[in-house]
Amino acid sequence: MTPADVPARLDQLRGLHLPGGAAGPVQGEILLALILGFSAALLVGLGRTALARSRAGIRRAALADLAASRGLPAPERILAQARLLRRLVRTVGGDEAASAQGAAWAGRLDGVLRTDFFSAGAGRVLVDGLYRRQTPDPAALDAELTRLIGRLKA
């Protein structure tokens, strides 16, 4: 009988161990990947929440400014609405976006508010009709602006 054929005694057996030198129930690389994955998901969630809050803040502030202009006489009210739109586009798109004039400005407003109200509708008066003698209905403009700003996804 050779020594390999002899059954080992209990005191000669080697202790149990995990493969790869892991010391615990979860290996270090797996634990690190889990921590990094959860951290990335948390950062993305926090970023999305902060972005949604800032968008809601822009929308809320614009609607408050629009409501504040309702007590003004018609010509001043329309001017206040035009200034509000300029500030809104500057906040959302930057100074270059807010510096557009004429048809480019109407296109920019239509793009930001996702409509054709400023290039083809009654909102045209807010683009280039501020100095004309026509008297648009400020209440109708106000109602449409409230609707458009209310659905803004800045």
Side-chain angles (χ1 to χ4, degrees), residues 102-124:
W105 175 238
R108 186 79 61 172
L109 284 170
D110 285 342
V112 168
L113 295 171
R114 297 186 334 249
T115 185
D116 64 348
F117 179 67
F118 300 100
S119 59
R124 187 86 181 143

Side-chain angles (χ1 to χ4, degrees), residues 84-98:
L84 167 68
L85 291 172
R86 195 65 76 167
R87 283 193 318 267
L88 180 66
V89 171
R90 181 174 288 120
T91 302
V92 172
D95 288 334
E96 184 179 327

Side-chain angles (χ1 to χ4, degrees), residues 118-132:
F118 300 100
S119 59
R124 187 86 181 143
V125 99
L126 294 167
V127 174
D128 61 2
L130 294 175
Y131 303 106
R132 295 186 182 159

Side-chain angles (χ1 to χ4, degrees), residues 58-68 70 84 145-151:
I58 292 169
R59 184 175 37 252
R60 195 172 23 253
L63 288 172
D65 285 350
L66 190 60
R70 289 188 182 121
L84 167 68
L145 287 176
T146 301
R147 187 185 71 77
L148 291 173
I149 292 172
R151 66 182 181 118

